[in-house]
Amino acid sequence: MAGSSGKLRLGVNIDHVATVRNARGSMWPEPLRAALLAEAAGADGITAHLREDRRHIRDADIEALMAGIGIPLNFECAATAEMQMLILKHQPHAVCLVPEKREERTTEGGLDVASDQNRLGDFVAPLREAGIRVSMFIAHDPRQIEASARIGAAVVELHAGLYSELHAEGRFEAADAELAALRRGAALAHKRGLEVHVGHGLTYDNVAPVAAISQVMELNIGHFLIGEAIFVGLEEAIAEMRRRMDLARAGA
Ligand code: PXP
């Protein structure tokens, strides 16, 4: 449901708990335990990206998360036949479709929905029929937003990577211009009936202006929170992010 007010949700991405586990080829730390802690700390959802190469989250993690958490699972994946089969098998609350390249360190760009409308429309249709909310992870480009609406997506997640990068480099004028483009994208998506999420690269320092965009209903945050958890614990990291999001939303 698209809206322009209400509580801003926080989706916590736990991929990098699995990254640490896999670095040792052991069973620890467990992504499910992180998800349960995130839930207890006030996360509104858990995001997990099942990559084609299974470099962090694995199939067994998705099974454990589906069975173990009490908040919605946002299953992030590429739009491949294998993933479509897994989505329909697990029936998560939501799916976020992302582009995926084996050589990338993280999801580097948005999905090119405009150039791949027919295929993505066919991919999304059975998921919609199964009652799964489908989100397209896209740049704030109006063409991508319009195409996402046309193929029947319920949600767009706008890629905040460039904004975050510019902000981290201290290029604040350029970051502000990118923020303005995110705002325009959020307004257009909302107008087209799409629910708006934002994610990638968000931190304590850069989250406030994004959280203040009234059409944005959910932020998905992973790497920074998992890193911060090393120092203060996951619950405290999430509580502090929540506090900053809520303050920004309230106009403080
Ligand atoms: N949203 C999507 C669609 C992503 O691919 C990622 C990165 O996995 C995130 C949000 C979270 O980004 P970060 O880990 O930089 O907070």
Side-chain angles (χ1 to χ4, degrees):
M1 191 178 63
S4 57
S5 61
K7 183 177 172 249
L8 178 61
R9 296 194 303 266
L10 171 60
V12 174
N13 180 316
I14 53 154
D15 292 349
H16 296 303
V17 176
T19 304
V20 175
R21 175 194 62 191
N22 297 0
R24 261 302 172 88
S26 70
M27 290 163 64
W28 303 279
E30 286 177 323
L32 174 61
R33 185 171 170 199
L36 293 171
L37 274 174
E39 182 175 347
D44 300 291
I46 298 296
T47 297
H49 184 177
L50 188 67
R51 280 184 166 267
E52 193 190 10
D53 62 10
R54 310 301 199 265
R55 73 169 73 149
H56 38 57
I57 294 294
R58 296 173 180 155
D59 298 66
D61 295 319
I62 298 293
E63 274 165 38
L65 291 166
M66 281 299 299
I69 62 175
I71 49 178
L73 178 69
N74 180 26
F75 181 110
E76 185 181 329
C77 63
T80 64
E82 182 201 16
M83 291 300 154
Q84 190 183 51
M85 190 262 294
L86 289 172
I87 295 163
L88 291 169
K89 174 180 155 199
H90 291 299
Q91 305 266 323
H93 168 82
V95 162
C96 181
L97 297 179
V98 298
E100 214 175 89
K101 289 189 236 113
R102 269 181 190 269
E103 62 277 15
E104 70 189 356
R105 270 189 296 181
T106 180
T107 311
E108 282 167 3
L111 201 57
D112 188 356
V113 186
S115 302
D116 204 7
Q117 275 184 68
N118 292 343
R119 190 182 74 87
L120 289 171
D122 289 347
F123 188 95
V124 167
L127 310 187
R128 270 173 55 124
E129 262 168 52
I132 298 164
R133 291 177 69 66
V134 182
S135 168
M136 314 303 280
F137 186 47
I138 56 170
H140 48 60
D141 177 353
R143 280 175 59 245
Q144 302 299 344
I145 295 168
E146 300 283 6
S148 299
R150 269 198 302 275
I151 67 160
V155 180
V156 284
E157 181 166 327
L158 302 180
H159 199 314
L162 181 56
Y163 159 71
S164 303
E165 223 175 276
L166 293 167
H167 194 278
E169 290 167 0
R171 295 165 64 192
F172 297 117
E173 237 174 78
D176 279 352
E178 189 57 21
L179 190 62
L182 282 169
R183 278 196 203 102
R184 287 194 297 274
L188 173 63
H190 179 63
K191 211 162 134 187
R192 293 289 178 267
L194 293 157
E195 184 172 299
V196 185
H197 300 175
V198 178
H200 218 284
L202 297 175
T203 68
Y204 290 161
D205 286 343
N206 67 22
V207 75
V210 178
I213 302 173
S214 64
Q215 297 91 353
V216 174
M217 300 302 287
E218 181 174 309
L219 301 182
N220 282 303
I221 309 180
H223 186 263
F224 177 83
L225 287 174
I226 302 304
E228 190 63 12
I230 294 169
F231 305 108
V232 302
L234 190 56
E235 285 171 290
E236 196 176 321
I238 290 171
E240 177 61 16
M241 187 63 81
R242 219 339 5 124
R243 192 183 70 77
R244 290 178 186 237
M245 285 166 55
D246 291 346
L247 274 175
R249 193 61 161 209

PDB file of all heavy atoms in Angstrom, residues 20-42:
ATOM      1  N   VAL A  20      30.683 -13.246   7.503  1.00  0.00           N
ATOM      2  CA  VAL A  20      31.667 -13.550   8.553  1.00  0.00           C
ATOM      3  C   VAL A  20      31.684 -15.065   8.815  1.00  0.00           C
ATOM      4  O   VAL A  20      32.747 -15.684   8.917  1.00  0.00           O
ATOM      5  CB  VAL A  20      31.345 -12.764   9.846  1.00  0.00           C
ATOM      6  CG1 VAL A  20      32.278 -13.166  10.975  1.00  0.00           C
ATOM      7  CG2 VAL A  20      31.441 -11.259   9.584  1.00  0.00           C
ATOM      8  N   ARG A  21      30.514 -15.661   8.892  1.00  0.00           N
ATOM      9  CA  ARG A  21      30.445 -17.114   9.094  1.00  0.00           C
ATOM     10  C   ARG A  21      31.204 -17.849   7.986  1.00  0.00           C
ATOM     11  O   ARG A  21      32.044 -18.707   8.247  1.00  0.00           O
ATOM     12  CB  ARG A  21      28.975 -17.567   9.095  1.00  0.00           C
ATOM     13  CG  ARG A  21      28.822 -19.076   9.175  1.00  0.00           C
ATOM     14  CD  ARG A  21      27.412 -19.517   8.845  1.00  0.00           C
ATOM     15  NE  ARG A  21      27.042 -19.156   7.472  1.00  0.00           N
ATOM     16  CZ  ARG A  21      25.816 -19.222   6.991  1.00  0.00           C
ATOM     17  NH1 ARG A  21      24.829 -19.604   7.770  1.00  0.00           N
ATOM     18  NH2 ARG A  21      25.560 -18.895   5.742  1.00  0.00           N
ATOM     19  N   ASN A  22      30.920 -17.441   6.741  1.00  0.00           N
ATOM     20  CA  ASN A  22      31.485 -18.183   5.617  1.00  0.00           C
ATOM     21  C   ASN A  22      32.998 -17.992   5.491  1.00  0.00           C
ATOM     22  O   ASN A  22      33.683 -18.838   4.911  1.00  0.00           O
ATOM     23  CB  ASN A  22      30.791 -17.765   4.316  1.00  0.00           C
ATOM     24  CG  ASN A  22      29.308 -18.110   4.317  1.00  0.00           C
ATOM     25  OD1 ASN A  22      28.792 -18.671   5.294  1.00  0.00           O
ATOM     26  ND2 ASN A  22      28.615 -17.773   3.254  1.00  0.00           N
ATOM     27  N   ALA A  23      33.505 -16.875   6.049  1.00  0.00           N
ATOM     28  CA  ALA A  23      34.954 -16.629   5.990  1.00  0.00           C
ATOM     29  C   ALA A  23      35.712 -17.750   6.687  1.00  0.00           C
ATOM     30  O   ALA A  23      36.869 -18.020   6.369  1.00  0.00           O
ATOM     31  CB  ALA A  23      35.282 -15.282   6.632  1.00  0.00           C
ATOM     32  N   ARG A  24      35.075 -18.416   7.649  1.00  0.00           N
ATOM     33  CA  ARG A  24      35.707 -19.497   8.391  1.00  0.00           C
ATOM     34  C   ARG A  24      35.183 -20.877   7.983  1.00  0.00           C
ATOM     35  O   ARG A  24      35.626 -21.884   8.499  1.00  0.00           O
ATOM     36  CB  ARG A  24      35.430 -19.297   9.892  1.00  0.00           C
ATOM     37  CG  ARG A  24      36.549 -18.655  10.642  1.00  0.00           C
ATOM     38  CD  ARG A  24      37.791 -19.497  10.489  1.00  0.00           C
ATOM     39  NE  ARG A  24      38.968 -18.861  11.029  1.00  0.00           N
ATOM     40  CZ  ARG A  24      39.362 -18.958  12.296  1.00  0.00           C
ATOM     41  NH1 ARG A  24      38.666 -19.627  13.162  1.00  0.00           N
ATOM     42  NH2 ARG A  24      40.462 -18.381  12.684  1.00  0.00           N
ATOM     43  N   GLY A  25      34.146 -20.861   7.150  1.00  0.00           N
ATOM     44  CA  GLY A  25      33.543 -22.144   6.785  1.00  0.00           C
ATOM     45  C   GLY A  25      32.953 -22.870   7.981  1.00  0.00           C
ATOM     46  O   GLY A  25      32.896 -24.091   8.020  1.00  0.00           O
ATOM     47  N   SER A  26      32.537 -22.082   9.007  1.00  0.00           N
ATOM     48  CA  SER A  26      31.990 -22.713  10.214  1.00  0.00           C
ATOM     49  C   SER A  26      30.486 -22.461  10.285  1.00  0.00           C
ATOM     50  O   SER A  26      29.871 -22.076   9.297  1.00  0.00           O
ATOM     51  CB  SER A  26      32.682 -22.135  11.446  1.00  0.00           C
ATOM     52  OG  SER A  26      32.279 -20.794  11.626  1.00  0.00           O
ATOM     53  N   MET A  27      29.910 -22.635  11.463  1.00  0.00           N
ATOM     54  CA  MET A  27      28.466 -22.408  11.602  1.00  0.00           C
ATOM     55  C   MET A  27      28.154 -21.077  12.270  1.00  0.00           C
ATOM     56  O   MET A  27      26.993 -20.741  12.469  1.00  0.00           O
ATOM     57  CB  MET A  27      27.844 -23.541  12.422  1.00  0.00           C
ATOM     58  CG  MET A  27      27.827 -24.854  11.651  1.00  0.00           C
ATOM     59  SD  MET A  27      27.555 -26.255  12.741  1.00  0.00           S
ATOM     60  CE  MET A  27      25.923 -25.929  13.352  1.00  0.00           C
ATOM     61  N   TRP A  28      29.197 -20.330  12.691  1.00  0.00           N
ATOM     62  CA  TRP A  28      28.984 -19.109  13.452  1.00  0.00           C
ATOM     63  C   TRP A  28      29.618 -17.901  12.794  1.00  0.00           C
ATOM     64  O   TRP A  28      30.702 -18.036  12.212  1.00  0.00           O
ATOM     65  CB  TRP A  28      29.589 -19.271  14.856  1.00  0.00           C
ATOM     66  CG  TRP A  28      28.999 -20.435  15.556  1.00  0.00           C
ATOM     67  CD1 TRP A  28      27.800 -20.478  16.206  1.00  0.00           C
ATOM     68  CD2 TRP A  28      29.554 -21.748  15.644  1.00  0.00           C
ATOM     69  NE1 TRP A  28      27.577 -21.742  16.700  1.00  0.00           N
ATOM     70  CE2 TRP A  28      28.637 -22.542  16.377  1.00  0.00           C
ATOM     71  CE3 TRP A  28      30.731 -22.346  15.182  1.00  0.00           C
ATOM     72  CZ2 TRP A  28      28.863 -23.891  16.645  1.00  0.00           C
ATOM     73  CZ3 TRP A  28      30.953 -23.672  15.451  1.00  0.00           C
ATOM     74  CH2 TRP A  28      30.037 -24.430  16.183  1.00  0.00           C
ATOM     75  N   PRO A  29      29.072 -16.722  12.966  1.00  0.00           N
ATOM     76  CA  PRO A  29      27.813 -16.389  13.642  1.00  0.00           C
ATOM     77  C   PRO A  29      26.602 -16.768  12.777  1.00  0.00           C
ATOM     78  O   PRO A  29      26.679 -16.757  11.560  1.00  0.00           O
ATOM     79  CB  PRO A  29      27.896 -14.869  13.817  1.00  0.00           C
ATOM     80  CG  PRO A  29      28.768 -14.400  12.691  1.00  0.00           C
ATOM     81  CD  PRO A  29      29.736 -15.507  12.419  1.00  0.00           C
ATOM     82  N   GLU A  30      25.493 -17.070  13.431  1.00  0.00           N
ATOM     83  CA  GLU A  30      24.297 -17.528  12.728  1.00  0.00           C
ATOM     84  C   GLU A  30      23.426 -16.358  12.282  1.00  0.00           C
ATOM     85  O   GLU A  30      22.987 -15.558  13.119  1.00  0.00           O
ATOM     86  CB  GLU A  30      23.441 -18.378  13.668  1.00  0.00           C
ATOM     87  CG  GLU A  30      23.983 -19.768  13.930  1.00  0.00           C
ATOM     88  CD  GLU A  30      23.102 -20.506  14.922  1.00  0.00           C
ATOM     89  OE1 GLU A  30      22.595 -19.864  15.853  1.00  0.00           O
ATOM     90  OE2 GLU A  30      22.915 -21.702  14.738  1.00  0.00           O
ATOM     91  N   PRO A  31      23.100 -16.273  11.002  1.00  0.00           N
ATOM     92  CA  PRO A  31      22.200 -15.214  10.535  1.00  0.00           C
ATOM     93  C   PRO A  31      20.844 -15.214  11.253  1.00  0.00           C
ATOM     94  O   PRO A  31      20.293 -14.151  11.532  1.00  0.00           O
ATOM     95  CB  PRO A  31      22.051 -15.522   9.042  1.00  0.00           C
ATOM     96  CG  PRO A  31      23.314 -16.232   8.684  1.00  0.00           C
ATOM     97  CD  PRO A  31      23.673 -17.052   9.882  1.00  0.00           C
ATOM     98  N   LEU A  32      20.332 -16.407  11.567  1.00  0.00           N
ATOM     99  CA  LEU A  32      19.021 -16.446  12.245  1.00  0.00           C
ATOM    100  C   LEU A  32      19.094 -15.767  13.609  1.00  0.00           C
ATOM    101  O   LEU A  32      18.184 -15.027  13.986  1.00  0.00           O
ATOM    102  CB  LEU A  32      18.538 -17.894  12.401  1.00  0.00           C
ATOM    103  CG  LEU A  32      17.245 -18.044  13.224  1.00  0.00           C
ATOM    104  CD1 LEU A  32      16.080 -17.287  12.572  1.00  0.00           C
ATOM    105  CD2 LEU A  32      16.874 -19.526  13.402  1.00  0.00           C
ATOM    106  N   ARG A  33      20.175 -15.991  14.330  1.00  0.00           N
ATOM    107  CA  ARG A  33      20.310 -15.355  15.651  1.00  0.00           C
ATOM    108  C   ARG A  33      20.341 -13.824  15.499  1.00  0.00           C
ATOM    109  O   ARG A  33      19.717 -13.102  16.282  1.00  0.00           O
ATOM    110  CB  ARG A  33      21.576 -15.862  16.341  1.00  0.00           C
ATOM    111  CG  ARG A  33      21.710 -15.345  17.736  1.00  0.00           C
ATOM    112  CD  ARG A  33      22.847 -16.032  18.459  1.00  0.00           C
ATOM    113  NE  ARG A  33      23.121 -15.374  19.719  1.00  0.00           N
ATOM    114  CZ  ARG A  33      24.252 -15.503  20.381  1.00  0.00           C
ATOM    115  NH1 ARG A  33      25.226 -16.264  19.889  1.00  0.00           N
ATOM    116  NH2 ARG A  33      24.433 -14.887  21.522  1.00  0.00           N
ATOM    117  N   ALA A  34      21.046 -13.359  14.476  1.00  0.00           N
ATOM    118  CA  ALA A  34      21.090 -11.914  14.219  1.00  0.00           C
ATOM    119  C   ALA A  34      19.693 -11.393  13.890  1.00  0.00           C
ATOM    120  O   ALA A  34      19.284 -10.316  14.350  1.00  0.00           O
ATOM    121  CB  ALA A  34      22.053 -11.616  13.072  1.00  0.00           C
ATOM    122  N   ALA A  35      18.963 -12.163  13.106  1.00  0.00           N
ATOM    123  CA  ALA A  35      17.608 -11.739  12.722  1.00  0.00           C
ATOM    124  C   ALA A  35      16.705 -11.646  13.945  1.00  0.00           C
ATOM    125  O   ALA A  35      15.900 -10.711  14.087  1.00  0.00           O
ATOM    126  CB  ALA A  35      17.033 -12.705  11.692  1.00  0.00           C
ATOM    127  N   LEU A  36      16.842 -12.616  14.846  1.00  0.00           N
ATOM    128  CA  LEU A  36      15.990 -12.608  16.057  1.00  0.00           C
ATOM    129  C   LEU A  36      16.357 -11.443  16.972  1.00  0.00           C
ATOM    130  O   LEU A  36      15.471 -10.799  17.554  1.00  0.00           O
ATOM    131  CB  LEU A  36      16.104 -13.948  16.790  1.00  0.00           C
ATOM    132  CG  LEU A  36      15.507 -15.145  16.018  1.00  0.00           C
ATOM    133  CD1 LEU A  36      15.844 -16.461  16.706  1.00  0.00           C
ATOM    134  CD2 LEU A  36      13.985 -14.993  15.856  1.00  0.00           C
ATOM    135  N   LEU A  37      17.652 -11.142  17.056  1.00  0.00           N
ATOM    136  CA  LEU A  37      18.075  -9.974  17.840  1.00  0.00           C
ATOM    137  C   LEU A  37      17.557  -8.685  17.208  1.00  0.00           C
ATOM    138  O   LEU A  37      17.114  -7.765  17.902  1.00  0.00           O
ATOM    139  CB  LEU A  37      19.608  -9.898  17.882  1.00  0.00           C
ATOM    140  CG  LEU A  37      20.313 -10.684  18.961  1.00  0.00           C
ATOM    141  CD1 LEU A  37      21.825 -10.599  18.756  1.00  0.00           C
ATOM    142  CD2 LEU A  37      19.952 -10.115  20.340  1.00  0.00           C
ATOM    143  N   ALA A  38      17.627  -8.628  15.881  1.00  0.00           N
ATOM    144  CA  ALA A  38      17.134  -7.439  15.163  1.00  0.00           C
ATOM    145  C   ALA A  38      15.640  -7.265  15.427  1.00  0.00           C
ATOM    146  O   ALA A  38      15.156  -6.149  15.673  1.00  0.00           O
ATOM    147  CB  ALA A  38      17.410  -7.576  13.670  1.00  0.00           C
ATOM    148  N   GLU A  39      14.928  -8.377  15.395  1.00  0.00           N
ATOM    149  CA  GLU A  39      13.488  -8.341  15.658  1.00  0.00           C
ATOM    150  C   GLU A  39      13.239  -7.799  17.071  1.00  0.00           C
ATOM    151  O   GLU A  39      12.402  -6.903  17.267  1.00  0.00           O
ATOM    152  CB  GLU A  39      12.907  -9.748  15.491  1.00  0.00           C
ATOM    153  CG  GLU A  39      11.411  -9.825  15.693  1.00  0.00           C
ATOM    154  CD  GLU A  39      10.847 -11.227  15.408  1.00  0.00           C
ATOM    155  OE1 GLU A  39      11.545 -12.081  14.818  1.00  0.00           O
ATOM    156  OE2 GLU A  39       9.685 -11.448  15.786  1.00  0.00           O
ATOM    157  N   ALA A  40      13.991  -8.315  18.030  1.00  0.00           N
ATOM    158  CA  ALA A  40      13.816  -7.873  19.426  1.00  0.00           C
ATOM    159  C   ALA A  40      14.178  -6.393  19.586  1.00  0.00           C
ATOM    160  O   ALA A  40      13.630  -5.705  20.451  1.00  0.00           O
ATOM    161  CB  ALA A  40      14.682  -8.724  20.347  1.00  0.00           C
ATOM    162  N   ALA A  41      15.088  -5.909  18.730  1.00  0.00           N
ATOM    163  CA  ALA A  41      15.537  -4.511  18.831  1.00  0.00           C
ATOM    164  C   ALA A  41      14.620  -3.548  18.082  1.00  0.00           C
ATOM    165  O   ALA A  41      14.873  -2.348  18.067  1.00  0.00           O
ATOM    166  CB  ALA A  41      16.959  -4.396  18.299  1.00  0.00           C
ATOM    167  N   GLY A  42      13.586  -4.078  17.441  1.00  0.00           N
ATOM    168  CA  GLY A  42      12.612  -3.183  16.801  1.00  0.00           C
ATOM    169  C   GLY A  42      12.688  -3.118  15.293  1.00  0.00           C
ATOM    170  O   GLY A  42      12.059  -2.252  14.680  1.00  0.00           O
TER     171      GLY A  42
END
